[in-house]
Amino acid sequence: MFKNGKVRSPRPLLAVLELTSKCNLSCRHCSFFGLPRLQSRDMSFRQWKRIIDILVDNGCERVTLSGGEPTLYRRLPDIIAYCSRKGLYTAMTTNGIAMTRSLAAKLVEAGVDYVQVSLDGLMKQHETLRGSGTYEPALRALKFLSDAGARVCILCVISTLNDRSIPEFVAMLQSLNIRNIGFERLTPPVGSDRMMQIALRPARLKRALQTIYSLKKEYPEARISLNEPLKVHMDARIRQAIRGKRTPSGGCFAGGFACVISPNGDLRPCTRLPFNAGNLLKMNFNTIWNENDLLNALRNRRMWGPCGACRHRDICGGCRAEALSSYGDLFACDPGCWLQPKRRSNAKFKSAQIG
């Protein structure tokens, strides 16, 4: 991956396809609605097939269908079937509100490999973020999907609202025979001071991750995972596996092994980052992927301050969306990292320029 100290452009092994900008919820912590206004009209099935073909031709192996809320995209089963025919491992994420027995059966018949349902803790915690009356539909969606034969997973966004009840939450899921559980920390949308107040800061985030790792040992039959670049600091095995290789098994994937396609065809480095590298319906993929300054800066980890000086920079990278949210600078330090020097502000450093 490295050549003359720089990272050669990798393949986009994973692409998140944001099928629609429509959503049936207004979750307080959603990064999608903090992005620049997108065209209201979704791309056609034919346009999405064109983009899927481009991704496959350039080495993509997995897609996650998202939104907005993907169940609101009229031809969702057709998209899944097409991805499956192209040999892609096809997952999707949903809030579960619009899921029915009939739709669950259609998704399984179309070939979906994995369905992730959002459930942010126990009922009160979940509904504080996602709205009243959203908890039971999520559980009902899990049942519909499981009964239809889908492999299902819970994704829980952790914050100060639910971090101290993680053990109780996992025990509840085990009682419901839900074995696949994923966690990721809340990333406040840029400019959201209210969400900033419930975001986990270093010491508390570290304790939450330690709790999750202990639960992995307590429930060996469960598959508990972390979508968190800082997990490399919790697990020596991950560090050993990826040090010097930059393989897609740890750290930040933004703009490297992963990309996001917006509902209008724009390619972005991450679901939480509001930066458009180019439109796949208008530009050549290789031009966007290989020549975009922002993508290359992310791959080469052009951070400054504590993250830039950290000895784990090349296997971690921190969360760039967290840096942007907290400091207004994509390449500042990750505010959740407990390894950064205490009482040291990003304001003391001058940001490196892209280009």
Side-chain angles (χ1 to χ4, degrees):
M1 293 297 299
F2 290 86
K3 184 177 182 180
N4 299 325
K6 293 187 177 181
V7 181
R8 297 198 300 270
S9 299
R11 295 181 297 151
L13 298 178
L14 167 66
V16 177
L17 310 184
E18 294 177 334
L19 298 180
T20 179
S21 58
K22 300 182 182 70
C23 191
N24 44 17
L25 294 181
S26 298
C27 301
R28 295 169 61 190
H29 59 308
C30 182
S31 58
F32 185 88
F33 295 103
L35 299 175
R37 189 175 184 86
L38 298 168
Q39 63 182 35
S40 58
R41 184 176 179 181
D42 298 333
M43 285 193 292
S44 67
F45 178 48
R46 178 178 295 181
Q47 288 172 314
W48 273 117
K49 287 199 298 181
R50 177 181 165 193
I51 284 178
I52 291 164
D53 289 344
I54 291 170
L55 292 169
V56 170
D57 289 345
N58 286 278
C60 185
E61 297 177 1
R62 303 168 65 101
V63 291
T64 296
L65 308 179
S66 181
E69 170 52 43
T71 58
L72 301 184
Y73 187 75
R74 186 173 60 87
R75 300 198 64 177
L76 174 61
D78 295 325
I79 290 282
I80 292 172
Y82 190 73
C83 289
S84 183
R85 287 199 302 272
K86 298 294 288 189
L88 291 166
Y89 183 93
T90 306
M92 65 169 282
T93 180
T94 178
N95 58 37
I97 299 295
M99 189 61 63
T100 63
R101 286 193 181 278
S102 174
L103 178 57
K106 289 178 181 178
L107 300 182
V108 171
E109 183 180 1
V112 71
D113 291 292
Y114 190 75
V115 183
Q116 179 177 276
V117 179
S118 297
L119 197 66
D120 299 324
L122 304 172
M123 180 182 286
K124 182 178 179 180
Q125 300 156 353
H126 176 86
E127 296 194 347
T128 296
L129 286 175
R130 297 186 180 267
S132 178
T134 59
Y135 185 78
E136 290 299 331
L139 291 180
R140 190 163 57 243
L142 283 164
K143 178 171 175 51
F144 291 159
L145 290 159
S146 295
D147 289 350
R151 182 174 175 231
V152 296
C153 173
I154 285 294
L155 178 66
C156 177
V157 175
I158 54 175
S159 67
T160 59
L161 295 176
N162 61 9
D163 63 317
R164 288 171 177 159
S165 63
I166 290 173
E168 183 181 357
F169 177 60
V170 171
M172 183 271 291
L173 294 175
Q174 296 307 291
S175 71
L176 296 176
N177 202 35
I178 297 171
R179 300 291 184 238
N180 296 317
I181 310 165
F183 291 95
E184 65 181 22
R185 63 174 143 156
L186 180 145
T187 299
V190 176
S192 177
D193 293 337
R194 181 180 297 179
M195 290 297 97
M196 194 72 72
Q197 294 172 7
I198 64 171
L200 296 171
R201 287 311 178 222
R204 197 157 170 179
L205 175 61
K206 183 180 182 180
R207 285 195 297 271
L209 300 190
Q210 288 172 332
T211 296
I212 292 167
Y213 266 89
S214 68
L215 289 167
K216 287 165 68 76
K217 295 178 181 178
E218 183 177 347
Y219 297 102
E221 71 283 3
R223 299 187 62 179
I224 300 175
S225 60
L226 268 170
N227 179 23
E228 170 56 64
L230 298 181
K231 70 182 179 182
V232 299
H233 308 308
M234 309 293 295
D235 194 330
R237 294 172 300 175
I238 296 177
R239 294 196 298 274
Q240 292 168 1
I242 65 176
R243 188 173 294 283
K245 297 180 181 179
R246 188 76 68 79
T247 55
S249 56
C252 177
F253 299 164
F257 294 102
C259 66
V260 180
I261 311 302
S262 298
N264 63 352
D266 288 343
L267 187 149
R268 307 198 319 274
C270 171
T271 58
R272 300 168 183 161
L273 293 179
F275 301 108
N276 169 27
N279 190 285
L280 287 181
L281 296 178
K282 301 175 182 178
M283 297 176 63
N284 177 270
F285 174 86
N286 287 318
T287 299
I288 299 172
W289 191 250
N290 297 323
E291 299 178 17
N292 183 267
D293 288 341
L294 175 62
L295 297 182
N296 284 318
L298 287 167
R299 291 170 195 144
N300 287 290
R301 304 282 166 94
R302 294 192 198 173
M303 288 88 73
W304 51 276
C307 275
C310 181
R311 64 191 178 95
H312 300 301
R313 182 189 70 175
D314 288 334
I315 63 169
C316 172
C319 177
R320 299 299 91 216
E322 286 278 352
L324 181 68
S325 178
S326 291
Y327 303 115
D329 189 328
L330 189 62
F331 296 99
C333 76
D334 183 332
C337 183
W338 53 89
L339 297 182
Q340 61 181 301
K342 294 180 180 180
R343 300 177 183 175
R344 198 172 190 183
S345 169
N346 276 272
K348 295 182 179 180
F349 299 89
K350 183 178 179 181
S351 176
Q353 298 296 312
I354 301 173

